[in-house]
Amino acid sequence: RKEVEQDPGPFNVPEGATVAFNCTYSNSASQSFFWYRQDCRKEPKLLMSVYSSGNEDGRFTAQLNRASQYISLLIRDSKLSDSATYLCVVWDSGGSVSFGAGTRLTVKP
Amino acid sequence: DTGVSQDPRHKITKRGQNVTFRCDPISEHNRLYWYRQTLGQGPEFLTYFQNEAQLEKSRLLSDRFSAERPKGSFSTLEIQRTEQGDSAMYLCASSYTNSQETQYFGPGTRLLVL
């Protein structure tokens, strides 16, 4: 079983839609969680951290459910420019990092 | 540009040849990471340095792979006797120790082994 699993998609949504991605992790000792965005043939870029209390950054909301060992990313009012692959990243207490395979999002006019 | 830089951006080589990639991290960052990414997958951790010390190596890293960071600044990743399965994007990232999880990635080196 992979340490971090994501639905690969693709998610094809119209502009203005709300879309949500989930990511599950297997290591209960995981302690830090992030979402990165990766455009086609580009490097990953940090989108946001995920805090236990949940956090919001504009149209983006991230949440963590430790009991069920998953994190989520909600994008409201999708823009064409949101089209990308969204990578879930999990750090354990020992400093090891695992990336999910990514969820591909395409926002269409 | 004070971001992470990598060189070369693309490399085509024949099977059996050796290749070396370079990464220049953000200057204040003391942690440097190497990852490999293949199509449709997320980055896979290979190794990381804190200053000049190589602190962890993935089991994925065969003995054909070696990385160095001799002065705690730039790093090199060498692949000896390349195989077709080594074809991938090699990504470098850097961070501060106190904020190790906030990584900044370079543009990557895309390797194609023929």
Side-chain angles (χ1 to χ4, degrees):
Chain A
R1 182 184 173 189
K2 289 186 177 180
E3 292 186 37
V4 179
E5 298 208 46
Q6 296 183 247
D7 181 343
F11 283 65
N12 297 310
V13 302
E15 267 187 294
T18 295
V19 62
F21 311 134
N22 281 341
C23 165
T24 58
Y25 59 94
S26 59
N27 185 354
S28 58
S30 299
Q31 65 175 25
S32 302
F33 309 88
F34 298 82
W35 284 101
Y36 277 70
R37 171 199 168 120
Q38 186 171 28
D39 292 295
C40 188
R41 305 184 78 82
K42 299 284 190 180
E43 72 273 22
K45 292 186 177 178
L46 179 64
L47 180 64
M48 60 196 302
S49 307
V50 187
Y51 303 124
S52 297
S53 55
N55 49 301
E56 190 174 306
D57 183 2
R59 298 180 294 107
F60 298 82
T61 301
Q63 291 193 312
L64 166 64
N65 185 320
R66 286 191 183 273
S68 301
Q69 294 182 202
Y70 78 84
I71 68 173
S72 63
L73 178 68
L74 181 78
I75 305 176
R76 290 181 299 277
D77 188 23
S78 301
K79 311 292 185 191
L80 297 176
S81 58
D82 294 334
S83 297
T85 295
Y86 291 84
L87 298 165
C88 169
V89 183
V90 176
W91 290 79
D92 70 20
S93 55
S96 295
V97 60
S98 298
F99 280 72
T103 297
R104 203 166 96 225
L105 171 66
T106 301
V107 181
K108 299 189 174 181
Chain B
D1 187 351
T2 57
V4 179
S5 62
Q6 292 186 246
D7 183 69
R9 295 291 303 277
H10 301 90
K11 179 71 177 178
I12 300 174
T13 192
K14 292 183 179 178
R15 192 174 49 188
Q17 298 294 304
N18 299 343
V19 293
T20 300
F21 309 142
R22 175 178 170 128
C23 170
D24 286 87
I26 293 171
S27 57
E28 313 86 67
H29 287 179
N30 56 356
R31 288 207 168 189
L32 186 149
Y33 299 76
W34 284 99
Y35 295 88
R36 178 173 63 193
Q37 186 175 25
T38 54
L39 195 63
Q41 300 300 314
E44 293 176 298
F45 169 79
L46 293 178
T47 189
Y48 91 90
F49 293 84
Q50 179 162 311
N51 300 313
E52 65 275 9
Q54 187 173 17
L55 296 186
E56 189 175 342
K57 289 173 64 173
S58 166
R59 289 187 298 272
L60 295 174
L61 214 61
S62 79
D63 54 10
R64 296 185 298 106
F65 287 69
S66 62
E68 294 183 342
R69 194 182 183 199
K71 297 181 180 179
S73 56
F74 73 91
S75 175
T76 57
L77 178 68
E78 181 182 18
I79 309 174
Q80 296 183 324
R81 305 181 302 281
T82 52
E83 301 172 357
Q84 287 184 323
D86 296 332
S87 296
M89 173 76 90
Y90 290 84
L91 291 161
C92 174
S94 69
S95 66
Y96 289 113
T97 299
N98 291 342
S99 181
Q100 66 174 3
E101 300 95 346
T102 304
Q103 296 188 332
Y104 296 85
F105 282 83
T109 295
R110 189 171 294 278
L111 173 66
L112 178 60
V113 182
L114 301 176

